[in-house]
Amino acid sequence: MRVLSGTKPTGDQLHLGNYFGALRQFVALQEKYEDALYFIADYHSMTSVRDAATRRRNAFNVALDYLAAGLDPDRAILFRQSDIPEVCELTWLLTSITPMGMLERAHAYKAAMDRGESVDHGLFTYPVLMAADILLYRADLVPVGQDQKQHIEMARDMAQRFNNTYGSEALVLPEPYILRDAATIPGTDGQKMSKSYDNTIAMFAPKKQLKKSVMGIVTDSTPVEEPKDPAGALFELWRLFATPEEHREMAERARAGGLGYGEVKKDLLARLLDHFGPMRERRASFEERPDDVEDILRRGAQRARAIGAPVLEACRAAAGLGAPT
Ligand code: AMP
């Protein structure tokens, strides 16, 4: 069983949606399956980041976040997507068997259109590059948040079309791995947490900034003494840091009245700092050793390429490309 996933380097650091929706599962799955690949999706960042130095810095930051969260480079293969250019060639092979209609239904593309953004070809074909990311390494299981489920289904569809078209068995159909309780983490405004909505809580922001984000979580204006519905962004975020027993108690207190949103926010902040404290220290120690981080990525790329290159070669041969062997 091979596990694979990636994260787009589009900011200074990952947020709670990335962590609870994906990264935490990466770490748990590396214990369960020996064969795991996690990459930094810097090709994908090209549709939104247009500055080379920023992309490099963001990619380095994702590497730090991966290592800080507990990914172990001796177990899992950590690498930068763009160190394996074979993925671009596989993208082309898949592009030519992918119907336009499928891509027109992709959520990320539709959401950008709805926001009235000018959409470039890269964003439109992003599900094909994502399919190539997965299929190049014959991954079986892809841990992701709910927002990526549709793209995994498209990757399955493309794999099947390619195999059927060329009578090949080169590509493996992947399965998504989505935790029900962390499928969609809400942001401070109650929508899905996302950098596009400017509603994120960063994993390793300075304490002052974290406090500002947490205190800014939108709540209604129910007075302290009134009963409250223990739902909504604040309770959902708090729950991520609590045991089921603690959550039951908190829900009872909310329904009984007398619990203020401010108290829940303060407790959430304390739990957040506590939870990410040891990771913050690990991150700082890697940050001081950028050459070691680069070595890890270089080694990871060699291992990833050793898996991916023969798969691309099998696809090329099946499709009648290159000199006959
Ligand atoms: P991205 O930043 O789009 O590369 O996302 C990296 C991973 O984080 C993907 O598996 C996403 O599904 C996951 N993710 C991002 N935002 C959220 C969210 N608000 N809730 C759950 N998962 C998320």
Side-chain angles (χ1 to χ4, degrees):
M1 179 72 84
R2 178 171 291 149
V3 183
L4 170 140
S5 197
T7 308
K8 238 185 320 186
T10 46
D12 288 343
Q13 47 178 296
L14 301 184
H15 55 69
L16 298 191
N18 299 133
Y19 178 72
F20 286 103
L23 186 47
R24 194 174 53 159
Q25 278 72 265
F26 298 1
V27 179
L29 289 171
Q30 101 185 327
E31 304 291 324
K32 200 163 163 198
Y33 302 110
E34 276 176 23
D35 198 359
L37 296 97
Y38 297 115
F39 64 94
I40 301 161
D42 56 348
Y43 277 140
H44 282 285
S45 75
M46 297 190 76
T47 58
S48 53
V49 176
R50 295 279 154 78
D51 177 70
T54 306
R55 185 176 347 277
R56 279 201 195 287
R57 196 175 55 245
N58 290 349
F60 179 68
N61 281 326
V62 174
L64 291 180
D65 290 343
Y66 275 1
L67 292 164
L71 286 184
D72 175 356
D74 290 330
R75 288 193 197 180
I77 300 178
L78 308 185
F79 66 104
R80 195 172 16 225
Q81 182 189 27
S82 62
D83 282 333
I84 321 287
E86 282 87 347
V87 78
C88 292
E89 184 171 350
L90 183 58
T91 302
W92 176 248
L93 269 56
L94 296 175
T95 299
S96 45
I97 47 96
T98 304
M100 284 285 285
M102 188 199 291
L103 297 179
E104 278 162 357
R105 286 192 295 276
H107 295 317
Y109 163 69
K110 284 196 346 199
M113 290 292 276
D114 289 347
R115 287 196 296 268
E117 290 169 14
S118 80
V119 172
D120 58 27
H121 185 229
L123 182 67
F124 182 67
T125 50
Y126 143 77
V128 191
L129 176 56
M130 179 164 159
D133 287 330
I134 300 166
L135 302 178
L136 184 64
Y137 306 100
R138 294 172 63 93
D140 302 291
L141 203 61
V142 187
V144 283
Q146 181 70 25
D147 57 347
Q148 294 297 340
K149 184 165 184 260
Q150 185 199 34
H151 294 147
I152 312 280
E153 280 159 9
M154 290 182 176
R156 289 174 64 85
D157 193 328
M158 288 177 220
Q160 200 149 33
R161 280 170 194 269
F162 186 89
N163 286 348
N164 288 347
T165 303
Y166 295 111
S168 159
E169 289 180 357
L171 303 179
V172 168
L173 274 58
E175 291 282 347
Y177 177 89
I178 300 173
L179 283 193
R180 196 163 44 88
D181 287 348
T184 305
I185 307 299
T188 53
D189 60 356
Q191 299 186 80
K192 180 192 110 165
M193 187 175 288
S194 166
K195 268 172 288 208
S196 325
Y197 302 141
D198 196 19
N199 64 359
T200 61
I201 301 178
M203 281 168 74
F204 301 116
K207 191 176 166 190
K208 221 171 130 186
Q209 191 189 321
L210 272 181
K211 188 172 175 190
K212 197 168 162 228
S213 305
V214 170
M215 293 305 158
I217 296 171
V218 172
T219 52
D220 59 32
S221 52
T222 316
V224 175
E225 57 286 0
E226 297 276 313
K228 296 181 181 64
D229 181 10
L234 176 58
F235 286 105
E236 275 185 55
L237 288 167
W238 182 86
R239 185 184 186 168
L240 296 169
F241 298 92
T243 62
E245 178 58 25
E246 286 172 326
H247 178 244
R248 257 192 308 278
E249 276 172 29
M250 180 62 100
E252 272 170 32
R253 284 190 61 202
R255 286 196 198 97
L259 174 71
Y261 291 125
E263 182 187 333
V264 185
K265 286 181 179 179
K266 258 194 214 145
D267 192 54
L268 170 59
L269 179 63
R271 284 171 188 256
L272 221 154
L273 289 168
D274 203 41
H275 186 92
F276 291 116
M279 294 185 209
R280 200 183 274 271
E281 281 172 27
R282 209 161 34 228
R283 191 180 198 277
S285 92
F286 277 109
E287 197 168 9
E288 284 167 13
R289 297 180 280 136
D291 292 347
D292 289 354
V293 175
E294 202 42 57
D295 269 354
I296 288 170
L297 296 180
R298 209 168 291 137
R299 238 185 330 126
Q302 279 166 3
R303 293 165 70 197
R305 192 170 224 160
I307 298 171
V311 177
L312 177 64
E313 213 29 67
C315 291
R316 284 169 53 91
L321 295 166
T325 49

